[in-house]
């Protein structure tokens, strides 16, 4: 089972992904984490990525596509993965489709964590990550609306979208996701 978590910055993708990964034994494919690792390893991709991340902008496609390609080629992804933070644009989604096609894989479900903008801003400001300053938060939400939100319609048109209300406390959100995936796993 291959799953994508889709949602705005602050929607809880990363937090909720952890529980699902443990529960279903999926490989974790978190683009944000892989980029932060590249930054802390000070690789040349990491240095470039850092400039974009600290401005709240999307890291160039050639960097993120290479990272995702290398990650998906690892053996733990063969038994299913949960991808978080990729794709973040229609272009990336199409590149991913082609990449998976070539290796006879496919996405089974796209879980969309839907959270209202006011709640996102409150959550992001309280998080304290280095790219969570007010200015960067605003830039990231703008990038989300412009580049990433169109993926909701894209995956809906492919009948892959599973809508989950992402408001409220972590436990309620986790159980909504678990219910949605439980049904999905049961019928697959
Ligand atoms: P995240 O941890 O998913 O919020 O990602 C943190 C930052 O990494 C984002 O604000 C972007 O600057 C960068 N990033 C993460 N995923 C991608 C992606 N798929 N494409 C481009 N940049 C990304």
């Amino acid at each position: 089972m291959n799953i994508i978590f889709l949602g705005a910055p602050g929607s809880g993708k990363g937090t909720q992904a952890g529980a699902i990964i443990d529960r279903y034994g999926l490989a974790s494919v978190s683009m944000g984490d892989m980029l932060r690792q590249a930054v802390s390893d000070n690789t040349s991709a990491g240095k470039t990525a850092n400039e974009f991340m600290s401005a709240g902008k999307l890291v160039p496609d050639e960097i993120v596509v290479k990272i995702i390609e290398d990650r998906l080629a690892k053996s733990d992804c063969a038994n299913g993965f949960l991808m978080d933070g990729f794709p973040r644009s229609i272009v990336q989604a199409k590149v991913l489709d082609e990449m998976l096609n070539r290796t006879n894989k496919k996405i089974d479900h796209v879980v969309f964590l839907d959270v209202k903008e006011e709640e996102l801003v409150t959550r992001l400001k309280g998080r304290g990550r280095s790219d969570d300053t007010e200015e960067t938060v605003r830039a990231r939400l703008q990038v989300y609306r412009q580049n990433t939100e169109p993926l909701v319609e894209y995956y809906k048109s492919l009948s892959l979208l599973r809508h989950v209300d992402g408001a409220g406390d972590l436990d309620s959100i986790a159980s909504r996701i678990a219910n949605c995936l439980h049904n999905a796993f049961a019928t697959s």
Side-chain angles (χ1 to χ4, degrees), residues 4-88:
I4 291 176
F5 264 28
L6 182 62
S11 63
K13 297 187 300 294
T15 311
Q16 297 293 346
I20 300 298
I21 281 163
D22 293 345
R23 187 173 181 140
Y24 295 105
L26 301 171
S28 165
V29 180
S30 163
M31 182 52 79
D33 286 352
M34 292 188 286
L35 286 169
R36 281 183 285 278
Q37 186 64 48
V39 171
S40 81
D41 291 346
N42 212 17
T43 63
S44 72
K47 282 182 203 155
T48 308
N50 193 30
E51 289 170 32
F52 290 86
M53 291 166 80
S54 49
K57 294 183 179 158
L58 290 185
V59 172
D61 283 345
E62 61 263 32
I63 292 180
V64 291
V65 167
K66 170 84 172 71
I67 291 176
I68 210 82
E69 199 156 27
D70 291 349
R71 180 68 188 93
L72 289 180
K74 297 220 167 104
S75 59
D76 62 332
C77 288
N79 300 321
F81 57 77
L82 192 158
M83 199 177 267
D84 143 36
F86 191 92
R88 257 176 154 96

